[in-house]
């Protein structure tokens, strides 16, 4: 026995090293796993030429695990060689584990057919054997099912894996199986459900295997990309890539780089997208990940085509000779994907080739639609035989609608093109209906930006102003058609909100004392992110408003004696549609950017004017600049505004992009004119339908702290509204204000306001116990009818693709408030107090809000209050 004791001790040491290596692998640390495994092999005195029946089984397990650890670090060829050696040594009955590991290596390289074949060999051989190894095989097979789009089978494998893992005490595998279950939700289009599962998985990973947190971050970023939140996805990917780099997980690092290329492409940064895709392709090729390298090559081609076509609404297409080259290379890629059985990737490549050929046909020497030279010189049929009819992921389906619309347009079938665009936008609508947060509802419009641009161009080509109006309404501010559901106050969100308000109070006190504590601001940003992420998990209700028929809009305008002016930015050109007296007119005005630049400068000048006492010379310079910028804007819009005011008492104005920040009442010719601003004609019509906000309970008047005139303003307004509920001093708390605001017919706030451009849902009004944030409004059961915000710049909004708006005022309109009066810039306190008193007196005397505001502001050149909604 004594002679055998050293051998037993040696075996125990090696088996312990193997267990530790598996733990390191499960935690996403392949370099550490490889060091432990090589130490074990050295202890066993392993060389390829030696064989020992007593040790071969243990050697096979070490080699099998080392194969994965080496492949994860980019040495895939070495990994496959180690597996071949392991298979030669594996005892009867243990070959299944080698097959399972070879399947995993093929899976990581994107070779799904080979991976599935190996795992299908392994799974039945493990039934009745090692349940933990079977759980691993099922887990990995679920990933293959996900990659091939077999979501139901993927979910079955993931849930069977989780059951085995729970039953046999392996929580790490159970957590990974839950992760895959959440990814099934993502592929099925239920992003809130997926993010909810990912949040649960994150808690498990933090306790069990924090090394897998970057993998989870990569999948969370993919979920955010699926709802158009490209900036947030990019930040998440940056964090994930840093983790992969530190852990030497080169496959995952390359996948993160490819996802960052997708972020850049979706945001219209085509050069960045191309460069990132090229870098990812290089990493994949070094690993031998052929399928992934082809995906990166396709992303590079999409970026090149985007540069040629100008994929964003508002950018100018620049067709050249490149589309023909893109078409040939995309066609070659489609063939390669088809050979590998990657159906959806092959479809995307064919669609890219089709778009490139159509672009070359329209803009090159080909002279028009018809059969053109395709990949490798063969015919590429523009009749559409190169594309599948139905199915596939959302991005493929949207690309199919866009390609077919462009094809129909190139063939002169404008009606067919518009039908394709309309059905593509309907897919976006269906996707949006599953989302509950305003963040996502407004972000998802970016997925249809190319379709919307094509639809508007096709409508413009048709020459009918009325049809252009209909299409503009289909393409802008669609999130307003969906009422966001009331946000439940779960304990985690409530706790974060409470801490955020406390910190905001401390920061406010610090500012008053001239102190700065950056740590407080960092903590506030962390809490805002927690609250925002909880909101992303809120499901939508699916109900939406129908599109506004032009005759119904015109009838309502006529009844109120108003004209509608709707501004558009199409391919960098500013256009205006005027609906007045039963007719629709289209005006082609000027380039968009100079007018937008004037709007930006105007906002800066107005804020500078209101900020402090200015020296006379500086004051004159700023006043001259204000007049100059107003002149640029008024000059560009002179024709549509003149036509709108010819015979109408006022205007409903629908701005676009940067022009949403213009205080229109300051324009020459509009001073004293009743004017209401709405994100779309539908929003104006829906707000108008909401009815008279003065039928109901008492008004609510709120005075915030540290504002010299606030309590005096509320006291004076109390004389105008004697039945009003007044909240001031210590009574003006967030809970009390929200309770009073819920369903109130009318509310007035005299408080400091702050527009948070970087995190818009946390734009706020300062109250006695901290900020009332735009996010808080989602807790209301019913929207208030008419809200007046006598506060600086909370009329501002961040404008996302599709003229989707986010901000404090926009949040009220999203919730269903009929009218919101707020300022787009800072307003001097004395001016605000005078305008507000005159405004309320006018409303109390029976004037409509837009009329009352026009009268109250007519003699106040520093008043930048705007009437939003119904007016």
């Amino acid at each position: 026995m004594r002679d055998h004791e050293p051998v037993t001790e040696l075996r125990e040491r090696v088996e312990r090293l193997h267990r530790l290596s598996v733990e390191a692998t499960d935690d996403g640390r392949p370099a550490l796993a490889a060091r432990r495994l090589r130490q074990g092999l050295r202890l066993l005195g392993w060389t390829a030429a030696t064989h020992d029946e007593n040790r071969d089984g243990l050697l096979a397990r070490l080699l099998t695990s080392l194969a994965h650890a080496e492949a994860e670090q980019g040495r895939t060829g070495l990994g496959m060689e180690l597996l071949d050696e392991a298979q030669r040594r594996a005892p009867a009955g243990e070959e299944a584990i080698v097959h399972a590991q070879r399947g995993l290596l093929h899976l990581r390289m994107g070779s799904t057919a080979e991976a599935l074949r190996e795992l299908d060999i392994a799974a039945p051989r493990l039934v009745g054997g090692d349940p933990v190894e079977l759980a691993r095989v099922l887990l990995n097979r679920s990933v293959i099912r996900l990659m091939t789009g077999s979501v139901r089978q993927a979910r079955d494998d993931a849930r069977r894996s989780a059951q085995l893992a729970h039953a046999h005490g392996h929580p790490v595998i159970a957590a990974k199986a839950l992760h895959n279950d959440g990814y099934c939700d993502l592929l099925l289009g239920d992003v809130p459900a997926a993010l909810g599962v990912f949040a649960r998985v994150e808690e498990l990973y933090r306790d069990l295997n924090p090394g897998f947190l970057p993998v989870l971050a990569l999948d969370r970023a993919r979920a955010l990309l699926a709802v158009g939140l490209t900036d947030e996805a990019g930040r998440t990917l940056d964090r994930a890539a840093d983790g992969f780099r530190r852990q030497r997980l080169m496959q995952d690092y390359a996948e993160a780089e490819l996802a960052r290329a997708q972020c850049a492409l979706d945001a219209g940064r085509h050069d960045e997208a191309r460069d990132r895709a090229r870098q990812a392709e290089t990493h994949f090729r070094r690993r031998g990940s052929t399928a992934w390298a082809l995906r990166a090559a396709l992303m590079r081609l999409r970026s090149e085509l985007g540069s040629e076509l100008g994929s964003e609404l508002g950018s100018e297409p620049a067709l050249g000779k490149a589309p023909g080259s893109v078409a040939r290379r995309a066609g070659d890629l489609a063939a390669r994907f088809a050979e590998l059985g990657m159906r959806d990737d092959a479809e995307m490549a064919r669609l890219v080739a089709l778009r490139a050929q159509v672009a070359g046909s329209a803009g090159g020497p080909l002279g028009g639609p018809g059969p053109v030279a395709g990949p490798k010189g063969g015919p590429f049929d523009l009749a559409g035989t190169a594309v599948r009819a139905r199915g596939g992921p959302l991005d493929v389906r949207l690309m199919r609608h866009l390609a077919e619309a462009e094809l129909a347009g190139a063939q002169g079938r404008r009606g067919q093109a518009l039908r394709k665009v309309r059905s593509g936008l309907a897919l976006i609508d269906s996707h949006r209906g599953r989302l509950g947060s305003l963040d996502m509802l407004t972000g998802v419009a970016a997925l249809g930006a190319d379709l919307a641009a094509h639809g508007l161009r096709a409508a413009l080509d048709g020459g009918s102003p009325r049809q252009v109006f209909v299409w503009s309404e289909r393409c802008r501010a669609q999130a307003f058609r969906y009422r966001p559901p009331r946000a439940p106050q779960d304990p985690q969100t409530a706790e974060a909100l409470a801490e955020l308000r406390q910190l905001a109070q401390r920061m406010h006190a610090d500012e008053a004392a001239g102190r700065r504590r950056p740590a407080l601001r960092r903590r506030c940003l962390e809490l805002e992110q927690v609250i925002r992420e909880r909101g992303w998990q809120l499901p939508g209700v699916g109900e939406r408003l129908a599109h506004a028929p032009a005759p119904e809009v015109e009838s309502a305008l006529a009844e109120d004696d108003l004209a509608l002016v709707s501004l558009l930015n199409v391919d960098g050109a500013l256009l205006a549609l005027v609906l007045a007296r039963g007719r629709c007119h289209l005006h082609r005005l000027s380039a968009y950017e100079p007018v937008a630049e004037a709007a930006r400068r105007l906002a800066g000048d107005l804020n500078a004017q209101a900020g402090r006492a200015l020296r006379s010379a500086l004051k004159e310079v700023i006043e001259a600049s204000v007049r100059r910028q107003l002149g640029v804007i008024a000059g560009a819009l002179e024709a549509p505004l003149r036509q709108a005011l010819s015979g109408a008492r006022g205007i409903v104005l629908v701005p676009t992009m940067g022009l949403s920040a213009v205080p229109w009442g300051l324009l020459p010719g509009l001073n004293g004119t009743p004017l209401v601003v709405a994100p779309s004609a539908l929003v104006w019509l829906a707000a108008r339908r909401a009815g008279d906000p003065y039928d109901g309970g008492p008004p609510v008047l709120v005075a915030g702290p540290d504002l010299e005139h606030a309590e005096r303003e509320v006291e004076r307004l109390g004389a105008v509204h004697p039945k009003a509920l007044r909240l001031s001093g210590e009574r003006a708390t967030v809970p009390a204000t929200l309770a009073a605001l819920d369903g109130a017919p009318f509310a007035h706030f005299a408080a400091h306001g702050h527009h948070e451009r970087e995190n818009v849902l946390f734009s706020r009004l300062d109250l006695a116990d901290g900020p009332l944030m735009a996010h808080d409004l989602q807790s209301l059961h019913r929207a208030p009818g008419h809200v007046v915000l006598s506060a600086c710049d909370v009329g501002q909004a961040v404008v996302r693709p599709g003229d989707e708006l986010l901000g404090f005022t926009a949040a009220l309109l999203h919730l269903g408030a009929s009218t919101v009066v707020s300022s787009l810039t800072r307003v001097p306190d004395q001016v605000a107090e005078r305008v507000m008193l005159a405004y309320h007196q006018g409303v109390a005397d029976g004037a409509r809000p837009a009329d009352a505001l026009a009268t109250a502001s007519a003699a106040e050149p520093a008043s930048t209050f705007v009437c939003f909604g119904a007016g």
Side-chain angles (χ1 to χ4, degrees):
M1 284 296 292
R2 191 172 297 156
D3 292 339
H4 291 285
E5 283 178 358
V7 175
T8 302
E9 289 175 6
L10 176 66
R11 189 178 187 90
E12 288 176 351
R13 287 179 62 193
V14 173
E15 288 178 340
R16 180 174 181 275
L17 284 168
H18 183 251
R19 287 195 302 274
L20 291 173
S21 75
V22 172
E23 290 176 6
T25 299
D26 282 343
D27 197 27
R29 295 181 289 170
L32 176 60
R35 287 198 298 273
R36 289 170 172 169
L37 291 163
R38 290 195 178 280
Q39 184 181 352
L41 289 170
R42 285 195 298 272
L43 288 173
L44 291 176
W46 171 71
T47 68
T50 59
H51 286 277
D52 183 340
E53 290 184 1
N54 293 323
R55 297 183 177 183
D56 274 357
L58 182 55
L59 279 168
R61 289 196 292 277
L62 290 170
L63 291 168
T64 300
S65 296
L66 181 60
H68 176 66
E70 294 291 357
E72 285 298 280
Q73 298 177 81
R75 296 183 283 274
T76 308
L78 175 59
M80 288 297 186
E81 292 172 8
L82 290 168
L83 283 178
D84 291 341
E85 177 67 14
Q87 189 152 9
R88 285 192 292 271
R89 293 176 178 273
E94 293 191 19
E95 303 97 328
I97 296 175
V98 181
H99 283 291
Q101 198 74 303
R102 186 177 287 111
L104 178 57
L105 263 64
H106 281 301
L107 165 62
R108 296 291 281 161
M109 291 189 293
S111 305
T112 54
E114 294 87 343
L116 188 59
R117 182 172 61 247
E118 294 288 342
L119 294 181
D120 281 346
I121 292 171
R125 297 184 184 186
L126 290 169
V127 174
D130 186 340
V132 174
E133 285 302 324
L134 178 57
R136 290 185 191 278
V137 169
L138 292 171
L139 177 69
N140 292 330
R141 195 168 69 178
S142 74
V143 176
I144 298 173
R145 306 288 196 199
L146 288 170
M147 294 176 67
T148 57
S150 302
V151 180
R152 182 178 299 176
Q153 292 173 300
R155 179 158 272 166
D156 288 344
D157 278 346
R159 290 182 175 177
R160 284 181 60 202
S161 174
Q163 289 169 356
L164 287 168
H166 282 303
H168 297 278
H170 207 298
V172 172
I173 293 178
K176 292 181 178 180
L178 180 61
H179 185 164
N180 286 2
D181 206 348
Y183 207 87
C184 290
D185 290 322
L186 175 58
L187 290 186
L188 291 171
D190 195 345
V191 175
L195 289 173
V197 173
F198 291 166
R200 290 161 53 199
V201 172
E202 183 175 13
E203 294 178 6
L204 296 173
Y205 282 174
R206 288 192 187 282
D207 292 338
L208 299 169
N209 53 334
F212 254 73
L213 287 170
V215 177
L216 182 65
L218 173 57
D219 286 341
R220 180 181 280 117
R222 288 167 171 154
L224 297 174
L225 281 172
V227 290
L229 297 181
T230 54
D231 289 344
E232 187 61 43
R235 288 190 287 270
T236 303
L237 287 168
D238 287 342
R239 294 193 295 271
D242 287 343
F244 294 142
R245 191 186 298 109
R246 288 194 301 271
Q247 295 167 232
R248 298 174 66 181
L249 293 169
M250 299 315 296
Q251 172 68 28
D252 294 302
Y253 177 81
E255 288 185 33
E257 192 69 8
L258 183 57
R260 288 199 288 187
Q262 179 74 62
C263 282
L265 179 65
D266 289 352
R269 302 190 301 270
H270 302 111
D271 291 344
E272 179 190 341
R274 181 199 60 221
D275 292 344
R276 288 192 181 278
R278 184 182 289 117
Q279 292 169 19
E281 185 178 359
T282 299
H283 290 305
F284 288 133
R285 292 200 184 281
R286 285 175 182 166
R287 275 186 50 82
S289 299
T290 303
W292 279 100
L294 293 176
R295 286 191 173 112
L298 177 57
M299 182 65 68
R300 182 159 47 83
L301 289 182
R302 290 178 63 187
S303 305
E304 291 178 18
L305 183 62
S307 293
E308 288 295 315
L309 299 180
S311 68
E312 285 188 296
L313 183 62
S315 61
E316 195 165 337
L319 299 179
K321 295 182 180 179
S325 170
V326 171
R328 287 190 296 273
R329 288 179 287 158
D332 291 341
L333 279 177
R336 296 285 303 280
F337 284 128
E339 290 169 3
L340 294 171
M342 301 169 69
R343 185 178 65 173
D344 293 325
D345 297 283
E347 172 73 350
M348 180 65 84
R350 283 194 294 268
L351 292 167
V352 170
L354 175 57
R355 291 192 68 205
Q357 288 287 16
V358 170
S361 173
L366 298 168
V372 299
K376 299 182 180 178
F380 196 90
D381 183 7
L382 290 186
T385 58
V387 297
R388 280 196 292 127
R390 295 289 181 269
L394 180 63
D395 61 340
V396 175
R397 296 166 71 192
L398 290 174
M399 183 66 81
R400 185 182 308 134
H401 284 285
L402 177 61
E404 291 178 345
E406 291 175 343
L407 171 61
Q411 294 174 329
R413 297 181 291 124
R414 192 172 55 83
Q416 176 71 2
L418 290 174
R419 283 192 291 275
K420 291 294 181 183
V421 172
R422 187 162 52 244
S423 57
L425 294 177
L427 283 177
I428 302 279
D429 274 350
S430 178
H431 188 46
R432 187 183 278 114
R434 307 183 78 161
L435 310 174
S437 83
L438 281 176
D439 226 357
M440 290 182 174
L441 283 168
T442 55
V444 77
L447 304 181
D450 290 349
L451 276 165
H454 187 82
L456 274 175
R457 292 183 194 120
L460 284 165
D461 289 344
S464 167
R466 197 173 297 276
Q467 188 174 44
V468 175
F469 170 76
V470 169
W471 274 95
S472 72
E473 285 291 303
R474 287 186 179 278
C475 298
R476 74 190 323 161
Q478 294 300 292
F480 282 94
R481 297 173 58 208
Y482 298 77
R483 290 282 181 263
R486 181 171 180 264
Q489 285 297 308
D490 61 278
Q492 185 176 352
T493 302
E495 183 179 336
L497 281 168
E499 184 181 352
L500 183 60
R501 275 190 248 282
Q502 291 173 0
L503 293 182
Q505 289 286 79
R506 289 167 60 186
M507 288 175 63
H508 185 70
D510 284 350
E511 289 174 6
R515 293 191 300 265
R516 284 177 54 83
R517 283 191 279 182
L520 289 185
R521 179 57 182 159
R522 287 195 297 272
R523 178 56 180 161
C524 285
L525 292 174
E526 290 172 2
L527 292 168
E528 288 174 4
Q529 189 63 22
V530 168
I531 296 165
R532 193 179 179 198
E533 290 181 7
R534 298 293 290 181
W536 289 341
Q537 299 169 33
L538 190 65
V541 296
E543 299 175 4
R544 60 180 183 265
L545 298 172
H547 290 288
E552 187 174 350
V553 174
E554 290 171 328
S555 174
L557 290 169
E559 187 175 332
D560 292 350
D561 194 16
L562 299 173
L564 183 140
V565 177
S566 179
L567 303 179
L568 303 171
N569 173 19
V570 182
D571 297 333
L574 184 63
L575 288 72
L577 288 159
V578 178
L579 267 70
R581 295 168 298 284
R583 301 188 67 182
C584 184
H585 305 268
L586 175 65
H587 297 263
R588 299 177 186 268
L589 303 177
S590 66
Y592 161 79
E593 186 51 38
V595 186
E597 176 62 21
R600 289 189 290 269
R601 293 184 178 184
L602 176 63
D605 291 338
L606 291 170
N607 280 321
Q609 267 188 336
R612 61 188 183 278
L614 301 172
R615 296 192 306 273
S616 59
L618 180 57
K619 182 178 179 182
E620 289 175 7
V621 169
I622 294 175
E623 288 176 349
S625 181
V626 167
R627 289 192 297 272
R628 186 163 54 251
Q629 310 315 327
L630 288 171
V632 171
I633 299 168
L637 300 180
E638 179 183 1
L641 292 177
R642 184 175 63 248
Q643 183 181 56
L645 290 174
S646 175
R649 67 175 185 83
I651 292 177
V652 176
L653 198 140
V654 179
T656 185
M657 300 175 68
L659 303 187
S660 297
V662 174
W664 299 100
L666 297 185
L667 263 63
L670 290 184
N671 183 258
T673 299
L675 189 143
V676 59
V677 173
S680 69
L682 173 61
V683 174
W684 174 75
L685 193 63
R688 184 178 179 275
R689 289 176 188 148
D692 187 350
Y694 292 94
D695 294 339
V700 177
L701 306 176
V702 183
D706 304 322
L707 193 60
E708 182 180 350
H709 73 282
E711 295 207 12
R712 184 175 69 244
E713 181 176 318
V714 163
E715 183 179 347
R716 295 179 71 182
L717 292 179
V720 180
H721 306 288
K723 296 182 179 180
L725 169 65
R726 301 186 205 177
L727 297 174
S728 60
E730 294 183 357
R731 296 181 60 214
T733 63
V734 172
T737 300
L738 286 173
L741 196 62
D742 204 338
F746 167 71
H748 176 97
F749 289 85
H752 281 301
H754 308 271
H755 174 67
E756 291 289 341
R757 188 163 192 83
E758 297 303 316
N759 211 343
V760 193
L761 290 176
F762 295 92
S763 296
R764 64 196 186 275
L765 299 172
D766 289 343
L767 297 182
D769 60 340
L772 172 66
M773 296 167 287
H775 175 274
D776 294 316
L777 300 174
Q778 287 185 261
S779 67
L780 298 176
H781 291 86
R782 295 175 299 157
H786 176 183
V787 181
V788 179
L789 304 174
S790 181
C792 292
D793 72 20
V794 286
Q796 290 187 48
V798 165
V799 186
R800 288 178 166 174
D803 284 325
E804 300 288 1
L805 302 180
L806 268 182
F808 201 98
T809 293
L812 285 164
L813 294 174
H814 274 290
L815 290 169
S818 63
T819 297
V820 182
V821 173
S822 57
S823 175
L824 291 168
T825 66
R826 301 173 71 179
V827 181
D829 291 351
Q830 301 85 350
V831 173
E833 187 175 4
R834 287 197 301 270
V835 171
M836 288 296 97
L837 185 61
Y839 171 77
H840 280 274
Q841 191 62 63
V843 170
D845 290 341
R848 298 183 184 189
D851 298 67
L853 184 62
T855 301
S857 300
E860 299 285 357
S863 172
T864 58
F865 288 101
V866 174
C867 185
F868 296 92

